[in-house]
Amino acid sequence: MSAEEQPFESADTRGHKMLGYWNSFVRRARIGRQLKHAALTISSYANNDGTSIKCGVSRLAADCEVGYSTARRYLAWLREVGLIELVAPGSRAAKRADEYRLIVAPAALTQLDVPDEAEYRKMIEGGNEANQASQKARRMRNQRSPIASADAMDHAESSALTQASADTEIQRSFSPNSALTLDEPLPLKVTSQLKAPPTGGAPPPDPRRPEPPPSSGSRLGAEPEISAAHHPAQDLQRNSRPHASARAPAASFAPVVDFFTREVS
């Protein structure tokens, strides 16, 4: 079918279904990611019949995250291939953007690579089959690889050892020989305590208090004299000994000695 015989699709022919028809046409078209993104961004401002699109160059540049010149080039290309049509030019003084509407001109059907619905469905199914084949090949490669098999075996062994250790710990915690079941005393908590120095009950000397000066009669470096203090034990020992007054004088025994010596002689 020639370009002159192609239908001109717009809101006049499609009505409120024009937006859905236009989006489906652009999604199937092989126009590149950047242009497709810009086209679908513009259609998001349209009504259901594809009209009342008020998206200027600055707005499109901000939406697509591109520069001003790039957004202007996108709009020019869409108008050239026959996907949008300028309805009313904008006015900078009135701060009004250009108004567009969605169309599918006969030139778009001839200039663009747009597969039909059946071919588009085959492309989707081919992508699914390729993904499944890739996953199957990856699984088979991992099964044949000795490194992957060894890693899998090591992982399994480590899991088994971990489970055995956990089971042993659980059994040990419930063992009848535990300290709690044998009523053994729990270890006491030892706390470090500071002991006061043995000062005989007297408070420790204050380090800030100066020592008293030595007396005038004492000399430095001399040993302290032992005081003859009176002690009750000395009185007890003194009383236990006989005094000199209680003893008999030696002269009193002289007559007795003389008496015995005279009789013997």
Side-chain angles (χ1 to χ4, degrees), residues 7-98:
F8 186 91
E9 302 292 350
S10 64
D12 300 333
T13 58
R14 293 283 178 174
H16 64 278
K17 296 181 180 181
M18 181 60 190
L19 180 60
Y21 171 80
W22 193 91
N23 286 334
S24 177
F25 182 86
V26 171
R27 284 195 298 266
R28 290 184 284 112
R30 309 291 93 184
I31 59 178
R33 293 175 295 176
Q34 291 82 4
L35 290 172
K36 185 174 293 187
H37 181 207
L40 294 177
T41 300
I42 292 174
S43 69
S44 63
Y45 289 94
N47 296 333
N48 290 334
D49 57 355
T51 60
S52 301
I53 299 176
K54 297 178 180 180
C55 179
V57 180
S58 300
R59 185 180 295 273
L60 182 61
D63 292 345
C64 296
E65 302 181 14
V66 295
Y68 188 90
S69 59
T70 304
R72 182 171 54 189
R73 186 170 64 251
Y74 289 166
L75 287 172
W77 183 86
L78 291 173
R79 291 176 61 183
E80 181 182 355
V81 299
L83 289 177
I84 61 174
E85 183 181 22
L86 180 62
V87 176
S91 173
R92 180 169 304 193
K95 296 183 179 180
R96 185 178 63 250
D98 297 337

Side-chain angles (χ1 to χ4, degrees), residues 83-142:
L83 289 177
I84 61 174
E85 183 181 22
L86 180 62
V87 176
S91 173
R92 180 169 304 193
K95 296 183 179 180
R96 185 178 63 250
D98 297 337
E99 182 177 351
Y100 298 92
R101 72 168 183 167
L102 303 178
I103 62 172
V104 179
L109 297 175
T110 56
Q111 295 181 15
L112 301 179
D113 181 14
V114 184
D116 56 6
E117 292 291 343
E119 187 177 357
Y120 183 66
R121 177 56 58 184
K122 289 181 180 180
M123 293 173 59
I124 297 174
E125 294 177 355
N128 292 333
E129 293 176 357
N131 182 43
Q132 294 177 2
S134 176
Q135 292 181 356
K136 182 178 179 180
R138 189 181 301 109
R139 288 194 299 267
M140 294 179 64
R141 185 168 58 252
N142 293 338

Side-chain angles (χ1 to χ4, degrees), residues 92-265:
R92 180 169 304 193
K95 296 183 179 180
R96 185 178 63 250
D98 297 337
E99 182 177 351
Y100 298 92
R101 72 168 183 167
L102 303 178
I103 62 172
V104 179
L109 297 175
T110 56
Q111 295 181 15
L112 301 179
D113 181 14
V114 184
D116 56 6
E117 292 291 343
E119 187 177 357
Y120 183 66
R121 177 56 58 184
K122 289 181 180 180
M123 293 173 59
I124 297 174
E125 294 177 355
N128 292 333
E129 293 176 357
N131 182 43
Q132 294 177 2
S134 176
Q135 292 181 356
K136 182 178 179 180
R138 189 181 301 109
R139 288 194 299 267
M140 294 179 64
R141 185 168 58 252
N142 293 338
Q143 292 176 0
R144 290 194 301 266
S145 176
I147 299 177
S149 302
D151 293 342
M153 294 178 62
D154 293 343
H155 180 68
E157 292 177 358
S158 62
S159 301
L161 292 175
T162 305
Q163 184 64 29
S165 301
D167 296 342
T168 304
E169 293 295 334
I170 294 174
Q171 294 176 3
R172 186 180 301 170
S173 62
F174 290 100
S175 175
N177 297 327
S178 61
L180 296 179
T181 55
L182 295 177
D183 296 332
E184 295 181 1
L186 296 178
L188 299 179
K189 184 177 180 182
V190 180
T191 57
S192 60
Q193 298 180 357
L194 298 178
K195 296 183 178 181
T199 57
D206 190 357
R208 296 174 297 177
R209 184 176 181 180
E211 297 182 358
S215 60
S216 59
S218 62
R219 54 188 178 87
L220 296 177
E223 296 182 357
E225 298 180 358
I226 301 175
S227 60
H230 184 74
H231 198 274
Q234 297 177 358
D235 295 341
L236 181 62
Q237 185 178 5
R238 188 180 298 111
N239 296 331
S240 62
R241 297 176 181 177
H243 296 281
S245 59
R247 297 178 183 177
S252 61
F253 293 95
V256 178
V257 175
D258 294 341
F259 174 78
F260 284 105
T261 55
R262 283 196 304 265
E263 290 296 330
V264 169
S265 59

